[in-house]
Amino acid sequence: MTRVAVLGARGRMGSTSVEAIEAADDLDLVAAVDKDDAIEALTESGAEAALVFTTPDVAMDQVIWCVERGIHVVIGTSGFDDEKIARLRELAADHEGIGILVVPNFSIGAVLMMRFAAVAAPFFESVEIIEMHHPDKVDAPSGTAVRTAEMIGAARREAGSAPLPDATTSDPDGARGAKVDGIPVHAVRARGFIASQEVLFGDPGEIFGIRHDSSTRESFMPGVVAALRGVTARPGVTVGLDTVLGLTD
Amino acid sequence: MTRVAVLGARGRMGSTSVEAIEAADDLDLVAAVDKDDAIEALTESGAEAALVFTTPDVAMDQVIWCVERGIHVVIGTSGFDDEKIARLRELAADHEGIGILVVPNFSIGAVLMMRFAAVAAPFFESVEIIEMHHPDKVDAPSGTAVRTAEMIGAARREAGSAPLPDATTSDPDGARGAKVDGIPVHAVRARGFIASQEVLFGDPGEIFGIRHDSSTRESFMPGVVAALRGVTARPGVTVGLDTVLGLTD
Amino acid sequence: MTRVAVLGARGRMGSTSVEAIEAADDLDLVAAVDKDDAIEALTESGAEAALVFTTPDVAMDQVIWCVERGIHVVIGTSGFDDEKIARLRELAADHEGIGILVVPNFSIGAVLMMRFAAVAAPFFESVEIIEMHHPDKVDAPSGTAVRTAEMIGAARREAGSAPLPDATTSDPDGARGAKVDGIPVHAVRARGFIASQEVLFGDPGEIFGIRHDSSTRESFMPGVVAALRGVTARPGVTVGLDTVLGLTD
Amino acid sequence: MTRVAVLGARGRMGSTSVEAIEAADDLDLVAAVDKDDAIEALTESGAEAALVFTTPDVAMDQVIWCVERGIHVVIGTSGFDDEKIARLRELAADHEGIGILVVPNFSIGAVLMMRFAAVAAPFFESVEIIEMHHPDKVDAPSGTAVRTAEMIGAARREAGSAPLPDATTSDPDGARGAKVDGIPVHAVRARGFIASQEVLFGDPGEIFGIRHDSSTRESFMPGVVAALRGVTARPGVTVGLDTVLGLTD
């Protein structure tokens, strides 16, 4: 039984996480803190792990506060880039045994899709990505699609794969999307989709596809729970759910 | 039993059609003519209908030759544009009772996809097309995808549909494809595909999709047979399989 | 502008419909009645059309009450079988000019899927249905899948289609689903699906598919609005949205 | 450059493999032997590895003959069950350094699908398999689908996963397929499919799918080439392509 505190507990991800933690047999919610609450509730309640969903302007200070008090941290706040992760590594070096888990994507389905795509990448001649989102999304292609393409591109480079075959000579206009790291990414924006992505690999006589459709915030909860279960046994800084899920060492 | 002749009988579509006609109970193959053969074989064999798969430079003359001799014609040769169709209409006016059927696409699946897409178009807020072909194809998007988009665009205009919703503000690079008549068309080129297309319609809380995957020339044969069965009972010039299949009046 | 009343306005479909009617430019919500409210609100508010989502035990009496007072009726209550529809026809005969529209399924996507499946049915050698629902559903296959199979079966019988090819000799166990009217229906029950269905047609070298994914009650609203717009111009009893949508005469 | 011989070189898999070996830069085809040819061609040509596609009645003797002469063996002949594999292990023990690779499925796409399905299995509440084959197939479900279900079942047992949720109480008839190791497998048989399979995982608010479509014997060739490349460096008996492809240790 791990005693868990949530920071940013009344936001959308925070409040859904509070419910998921309460429903998990081996997690004990001991504090649910939001911006008007005192962070000291974490030490007072004996929290062993903190789940951070607060805004980027306060999240780093709260992480430092937790780690200095021996509390493991799962970071769901966005914007933890290479520079911030370097600062976390220094922090971890000063506090041995404390786990800091930065999670850019809590969707286990999305993490599996990216991991499997990277493993499959060297085995096929062709690969393209189609991502489908609601039409209120302002950017294209999606961050997950870009990350998937980068992972596929890196895997193919490492394996010495040939460039993708493409005889196109006439394509005057172009559609929504991009070529990322040599991998074509097509961006569909249609009412009815929330967040979907398909990775299509091709070889002569076969197509291999991986697809993930996500429709509710609930779909992130298994990832939140897995992160909280895994962080206490994983000292130092870890980025992404892959190792927690046992997908990589 | 309709007596059928094939012109261009040793080409790829012609030779596959010869087999399909021989396999059809109600069609009787009486002549299979190619470029070194005399076209008089058609009258000598008593052909009632001719299937034309010869090259564009000779096809029109052969069609005229047939119609003048009272032979119904199914035209599979490409390049029969508005100008040539106008000439066919004059020809038909002079030879009452003879059917001339111009078929840009013999795939019944593709014809159904386009027809159903046009019917569904006014009922949904969003629509996008994804077409997937082998990477040796030189043009993007495919002719079928462009035609589908035009049919959807026309149906939406006629119904007074609003423009597709799209909040995209950042899409700096673009991917293979085009926006045709306001409809985004995404073009995938990957080994393993022959000719596939998916039309995706969306409304709040639902996605409606129509998909066609074609992998062999055999898939055109039901359309060839339906055209030959239908042409003798349909005097004048008809374009496309829709009316022969009973999809439109 | 049509003045509309909702009966059963606080139920799930009723309350979502109230919002949809308020959002429609050409519909004016004049009464929202539930079980503790007086039905006289309809005449007092001058309602021209009533949308009925009350329970089966009271719905028929309310429909009679409306029709006798010259109010057109759209019936969303389930259980309007052949016997009840016969009673509605007698009622309509006594009240010329009043429209009674019985709608077993308000999803335009589902209606299109069934209609297109029936049109496509005679053109392909093979057809099977896969329906996918949440695992809390107690019956298999789904009502929509059964209805789709019946429509496909009827269309194939009418066209004189051969039985589906199937060389299976060893299939000792069987899976969830049924063969309905000769058409195999496969029933998937998995968390994450709400209500999805795919109809797969096959011929040598090609697959033609129609798919509908529905995830929220919102997806029924375009059908509710179309029914209310169409009922006032369609005297007598009509079953299903097909004619209102212009899919059949 | 590995010198390769093919046994059963004029059969369907054998003859396609001969072409693939000739097209591979690092494989040198030195002997192509069929039933009327002398097997001594292998030693005379200095073959280092043999690819065996002969019939089950002669394959084991040929494998023994090769291994005793220091030739590595890739076995594509079907029917190498546990008993035969036990005999191969004895044979390998007597001939250190020689690789014997038994390959039940040369499709890299199918191998990836099964491996990824086993990895993903513990992370989702629901999983079902849909396999789609041509209607001339006599058995249902397919061997690949059964093997996939067994791997998923084993992975879920090992992870202590709960049984799949299923509230079905009315499913009177059943469809083609089976429940294998607790996993529902649906078997579609339709003209136009060759060999396709989809594994669908579900959690609240998300669906994760892996799909493989195979249409020609060519699609097995990357697996044949990978097996021949890998067998010489892998002494002893290995079953399946997984280790050769680096998917497992």
Side-chain angles (χ1 to χ4, degrees), chain B residues 4-20:
Chain B
V4 175
V6 177
L7 289 167
R10 289 194 291 276
R12 292 189 303 179
M13 280 294 283
S15 57
T16 311
S17 296
V18 162
E19 292 170 32

Side-chain angles (χ1 to χ4, degrees), chain B residues 205-207 209 211-213 215, chain C residues 205-207 209 211-213 215:
Chain B
E206 71 176 328
I207 295 292
R211 178 169 178 144
H212 183 236
D213 293 271
S215 56
Chain C
E206 71 176 329
I207 295 293
R211 178 169 177 143
H212 184 235
D213 294 271
S215 56

Side-chain angles (χ1 to χ4, degrees), chain A residues 2 4 27 49-51 53 72-76 99-103 105-106 108 220-234 240-241 244-245:
Chain A
T2 305
V4 175
L27 299 179
L51 174 65
F53 275 124
H72 307 276
V73 185
V74 172
I75 306 176
I100 304 177
L101 180 53
V102 182
V103 185
N105 195 333
F106 279 103
I108 293 180
F220 298 120
M221 293 307 114
V224 166
V225 169
L228 289 168
R229 281 177 183 151
V231 69
T232 56
R234 194 168 294 278
L241 282 182
V244 170
L245 301 178

Side-chain angles (χ1 to χ4, degrees), chain B residues 107 109 112-113 116 119-120 123-124 203-216 218-219 222 245 247, chain C residues 107-109 112-113 116 119-120 123-124 203-216 218-219 222 245 247:
Chain B
S107 164
L112 289 174
M113 176 175 56
F116 292 166
V119 172
F123 296 117
F124 295 93
D203 252 352
E206 71 176 328
I207 295 292
F208 181 77
I210 305 171
R211 178 169 178 144
H212 183 236
D213 293 271
S214 172
S215 56
T216 68
E218 246 187 316
S219 68
L245 300 178
L247 300 177
Chain C
S107 164
I108 292 180
L112 289 174
M113 176 174 59
F116 292 168
V119 172
F123 297 117
F124 295 94
D203 252 352
E206 71 176 329
I207 295 293
F208 182 78
I210 304 171
R211 178 169 177 143
H212 184 235
D213 294 271
S214 172
S215 56
T216 67
E218 246 187 315
S219 68
L245 301 178
L247 300 177

Side-chain angles (χ1 to χ4, degrees), chain A residues 107-109 112-113 116 119 123-124 203-216 218-219 222 245 247, chain D residues 107-109 112-113 116 119-120 123-124 203-216 218-219 222 245 247:
Chain A
S107 165
I108 293 180
L112 288 173
M113 177 174 57
F116 291 167
V119 172
F123 296 117
F124 294 94
D203 252 352
E206 69 175 331
I207 296 293
F208 181 78
I210 306 171
R211 178 169 178 144
H212 183 235
D213 294 271
S214 173
S215 56
T216 68
E218 247 188 315
S219 68
L245 301 178
L247 301 176
Chain D
S107 164
I108 293 181
L112 288 174
M113 176 174 59
F116 292 167
V119 172
F123 296 118
F124 294 94
D203 252 352
E206 71 176 330
I207 296 293
F208 181 78
I210 305 171
R211 178 169 178 145
H212 184 235
D213 293 271
S214 173
S215 56
T216 67
E218 245 188 315
S219 68
L245 300 177
L247 300 177

Side-chain angles (χ1 to χ4, degrees), chain C residues 37-85:
Chain C
D37 308 315
I39 195 169
E40 284 73 23
L42 272 69
T43 40
E44 287 160 16
S45 64
E48 294 164 284
L51 174 65
V52 180
F53 275 125
T54 43
T55 49
D57 56 321
V58 299
M60 179 59 93
D61 286 345
Q62 293 176 329
V63 168
I64 295 170
W65 190 94
C66 289
V67 172
E68 289 179 342
R69 279 152 189 82
I71 301 173
H72 307 278
V73 185
V74 172
I75 305 176
T77 304
S78 61
F80 272 74
D81 54 15
D82 289 350
E83 193 192 319
K84 286 192 177 179
I85 287 169

